[in-house]
Amino acid sequence: VQTCALPILAMSKQNLTRQVPWFPDIYWHIAALAKDEGINRSIRVLARLITDNVRIDSDSGQLCVADCRTETGILRPSDLVNTVFCQDDGLQSFLSLDEGYWLIREACTKNRVERRLELSASLVAGIREIYGDSLPKYLIVAKDGERYRGAISSMFEEYIGHGFDEVRASYFTWRENITPPERRGELLELCRRQGHQYSTAMMNYR
């Protein structure tokens, strides 16, 4: 049973009034990063991880969720930098491009709960396109190809004017806003995939 510090309606109102950018307003900047071959490839991968959650509706022209079954949301920076690609060492989180899943290990995530995420074919293809045949050991790497050890939020802010944490809050605020009450289960599942409770996301997403 999901427990909340505030009634859901009160949290929803708080979420909608939070001062974060409206996700559709910053989406195009992020999408452009994913295609920019002149920047750090890890920035492009971060952008692709975000934009793969959504698609443009052909009828309305508005953003909508691409597929709830493969919606990873926007994971914490610590989940990203602790993920390896090429070989599962049994210790760190592992993203398998061959089998299309992402295993977040208990020891590598803030809430200490292991979870497995199914990846869309488009995300797998997008990552392969960006990194090419020379996959680095880690999902997010520095310019020298080694594991990235800096602040992802600051790095992202240099490109779009918003920190990574702010983008995460923006995405959930938008997601909560477009989800009708009868589909609240989608938000609970999104929170599980991102590794936190619903109340945490609604009150002060971090």
Side-chain angles (χ1 to χ4, degrees):
V1 177
Q2 183 72 36
T3 58
C4 300
L6 293 172
I8 289 179
L9 179 58
M11 287 194 297
S12 296
K13 291 180 178 179
Q14 181 171 328
N15 196 39
L16 290 174
T17 58
R18 188 167 51 206
Q19 297 301 307
V20 296
W22 185 234
F23 183 72
D25 291 342
I26 62 176
Y27 165 81
W28 297 107
H29 299 290
I30 301 172
L33 288 182
K35 299 177 180 179
D36 189 346
E37 297 182 1
I39 64 175
N40 185 313
R41 291 184 298 171
S42 287
I43 289 289
R44 296 181 62 198
V45 168
L46 286 174
R48 189 60 192 254
L49 289 169
I50 295 170
T51 58
D52 192 74
N53 288 293
V54 299
R55 64 177 177 83
I56 307 298
D57 182 74
S58 58
D59 295 325
S60 67
Q62 302 296 312
L63 280 186
C64 62
V65 177
D67 189 336
C68 294
R69 297 168 297 181
T70 55
E71 181 186 18
T72 60
I74 304 178
L75 302 188
R76 294 186 184 93
S78 58
D79 290 330
L80 302 173
V81 299
N82 288 317
T83 294
V84 294
F85 261 138
C86 301
Q87 184 174 356
D88 185 4
D89 60 10
L91 300 174
Q92 301 175 90
S93 296
F94 176 63
L95 191 154
S96 173
L97 293 178
D98 291 333
E99 298 184 40
Y101 71 86
W102 192 345
L103 178 63
I104 307 293
R105 286 199 159 89
E106 175 183 350
C108 302
T109 190
K110 184 177 180 181
N111 73 339
R112 295 296 185 261
V113 176
E114 183 171 293
R115 56 198 190 274
R116 176 176 168 135
L117 313 177
E118 300 303 318
L119 305 179
S120 69
S122 63
L123 178 58
V124 169
I127 294 175
R128 287 192 184 280
E129 179 184 357
I130 292 170
Y131 278 135
D133 295 329
S134 56
L135 283 176
K137 178 179 179 181
Y138 286 90
L139 173 64
I140 305 299
V141 294
K143 291 181 180 179
D144 60 4
E146 297 298 319
R147 176 184 177 186
Y148 188 80
R149 298 185 181 277
I152 284 182
S153 190
S154 300
M155 177 176 66
F156 213 69
E157 188 171 8
E158 293 179 12
Y159 288 90
I160 67 167
H162 299 287
F164 197 74
D165 290 342
E166 192 175 8
V167 175
R168 294 174 68 227
S170 173
Y171 180 78
F172 192 88
T173 299
W174 168 78
R175 186 65 165 88
E176 197 277 336
N177 182 249
I178 67 168
T179 305
E182 64 271 16
R183 289 166 51 190
R184 292 287 168 175
E186 293 179 11
L187 295 178
L188 297 179
E189 175 59 17
L190 177 59
C191 289
R192 183 198 69 79
R193 293 174 185 176
Q194 295 190 147
H196 54 68
Q197 293 186 350
Y198 182 61
S199 56
T200 299
M202 295 296 287
M203 294 178 66
N204 59 340
Y205 197 92
R206 293 291 184 268

